[in-house]
Amino acid sequence: MSLKIIGTGKGIPEKRVTNHDLAGFLDTNDEWIVSRTGIKSRNVCSHETLTDLAAAAALQALDKSGLRPEDIDLIICSTIGGDYRTPSLACCVSNSIGASCPAFDVNAACTGFIYALEIASGFLADEKTDNILIVCAEMMSKHMDWTDRNTCVLFGDGAAACTVTKGNALKYIDLSASADVSLLQVPSGTGNSPFVDEKKEYGFLNMQGQEVFKFAVNVVESGVKQALDKLNVSAEQIDLFLLHQANKRIVDSVRRALGQPEEKFPLNIAHYGNLSSASIPLLLFEMLEEDKIKPGDTLFMSAFGAGLTAGSCVMVWE
Ligand code: COA
């Protein structure tokens, strides 16, 4: 079963932190961050919970699609960590917006949106499921070591949502997870069990940046080629490439390899940083708000993240 997206929404925390703000307490500077990543600022939670952001995005997506919470048959949240280890963020969103359908989280790191689309398409094949709410919400600020300039400058907090229903927009989807868990991780620790042999504390995000960079460029490029081959279309026939916003240099590198113009590769990383799984749906939301996506347009989406996971899909907009 394929699907189509019928509404999108966003939830962004109020507090905006510029590179200059970071330079006030870290050994970094605006020039380094902009030239190495393309990031100028990011928004981070101060008084908001992740549920607040996710619910705001969800309600906007419902509103734009003309659906009420009771019309939703399933809520899938993508997050690397909600407000609680349990209940799931999806249950918190359901509670907040007044829904009563099944709800669960998926954790595929930054690739979560593409994973959620594949899961949604499976559920929509069942006749009892008509409308699914996908919410990608990340509070990266709580996973960062704010004394580590290698990582904390890269990420931001935010949520983006979409409602999906039965349709034929999704033409191709491919997911993967290569087993290298060491390159990017947030350790969860062992708690205070007296029985554990080696105690481990909850840790902050650590990453081998250059290795992840190489993986990202390779996996996105090969993902595009595989999709084009499978659908028998050329890069020229793709109207927009909505790529995960981890580093502007990764997007530029893929664009150059494909020989395509800049306007086909929209960016929002300058204002938000890396929002993990919320990056692509937020970009989608913005493109729709700016009327830059029309029915019949062909969109390629691709993401990568901890795992290392990767995923790409092609949609012809309905
Ligand atoms: N400000 C100033 N200097 C910084 C800095 C910062 N915020 N962060 C690192 N540096 C320094 C390093 O300490 C290093 O200094 P040294 O040469 O004296 O040791 C120097 O800058 C170069 O660091 P390096 O790691 O080689 O930079 P880079 O060009 O590889 O860029 C990343 C680093 C993280 C921006 C880049 O590797 C990247 O984007 N990787 C992919 C990450 C990613 O996509 N993660 C998310 C996956 S979903």
Side-chain angles (χ1 to χ4, degrees):
M1 168 57 69
S2 183
L3 53 73
K4 64 177 175 181
I5 294 176
I6 54 170
T8 56
K10 71 168 180 180
I12 301 295
E14 262 174 44
K15 185 164 186 56
R16 181 168 168 263
V17 177
T18 65
N19 294 343
H20 298 290
D21 294 331
L22 295 179
F25 63 92
L26 268 180
D27 181 14
T28 190
N29 56 73
D30 182 59
E31 196 281 326
W32 191 97
I33 302 173
V34 173
S35 63
R36 299 287 178 125
T37 70
I39 301 167
K40 293 180 182 159
S41 65
R42 72 287 293 143
N43 289 59
V44 296
C45 291
S46 48
H47 56 277
E48 303 92 344
T49 64
L50 191 56
T51 305
D52 293 337
L53 304 183
L59 287 172
Q60 189 175 19
L62 286 176
D63 187 48
K64 284 191 179 285
S65 49
L67 294 173
R68 298 159 302 168
E70 54 269 37
D71 300 324
I72 296 295
D73 301 308
L74 174 69
I75 300 175
I76 306 171
C77 277
S78 160
T79 186
I80 67 166
D83 291 325
Y84 307 94
R85 286 195 189 140
T86 193
S88 67
L89 182 62
C91 285
C92 294
V93 169
S94 175
N95 182 62
S96 180
I97 67 173
S100 56
C101 58
F104 64 85
D105 287 358
V106 49
N107 178 352
C110 305
T111 319
F113 179 58
I114 314 285
Y115 270 68
L117 285 175
E118 173 88 301
I119 296 165
S121 125
F123 269 89
L124 286 168
D126 188 312
E127 63 179 25
K128 73 181 180 204
T129 305
D130 288 320
N131 301 308
I132 299 180
L133 175 64
I134 297 175
V135 189
C136 302
E138 309 283 6
M139 196 190 287
M140 299 306 291
S141 60
K142 73 175 174 186
H143 304 298
M144 295 299 129
D145 175 355
W146 286 89
T147 66
D148 177 13
R149 67 178 184 175
N150 290 293
T151 51
C152 75
V153 305
L154 302 174
F155 295 89
D157 298 341
C162 67
T163 42
V164 298
T165 189
K166 296 183 200 297
N168 291 312
L170 186 62
K171 303 295 184 198
Y172 167 90
I173 191 158
D174 181 66
L175 306 175
S176 68
S178 59
D180 193 341
V181 295
S182 65
L183 296 180
L184 175 52
Q185 53 182 219
V186 183
S188 71
T190 49
N192 72 350
S193 161
F195 306 108
V196 72
D197 289 337
E198 194 192 340
K199 272 205 169 36
K200 291 199 179 111
E201 296 298 321
Y202 174 86
F204 294 117
L205 183 145
N206 62 72
M207 174 176 72
Q208 294 177 39
Q210 291 186 358
E211 292 308 309
V212 175
F213 192 102
K214 284 183 226 154
F215 168 79
V217 170
N218 283 333
V219 83
V220 180
E221 273 183 31
S222 60
V224 180
K225 285 180 186 138
Q226 193 178 309
L228 297 180
D229 274 359
K230 189 93 183 169
L231 297 175
N232 202 18
V233 295
S234 66
E236 285 66 32
Q237 289 170 276
I238 306 285
D239 297 294
L240 278 181
F241 291 84
L242 304 181
L243 304 189
H244 176 44
Q245 305 283 295
N247 188 321
K248 179 176 184 297
R249 289 190 292 139
I250 295 174
V251 176
D252 287 343
S253 168
V254 173
R255 177 175 57 74
R256 280 194 299 269
L258 292 170
Q260 294 297 298
E262 274 188 33
E263 58 270 19
K264 283 189 172 189
F265 289 74
L267 294 162
N268 64 12
I269 190 170
H271 302 298
Y272 298 113
N274 181 346
L275 291 182
S276 188
S277 67
S279 276
I280 293 179
L282 181 61
L283 201 52
L284 184 64
F285 169 87
E286 291 179 332
M287 292 295 101
L288 288 165
E289 287 293 288
E290 291 168 28
D291 243 357
K292 291 194 173 143
I293 297 177
K294 303 264 185 300
D297 282 353
T298 303
L299 315 182
F300 174 85
M301 305 182 202
S302 170
F304 53 87
L308 295 166
T309 58
S312 47
C313 71
V314 174
M315 275 191 204
V316 176
W317 199 254
E318 287 187 354

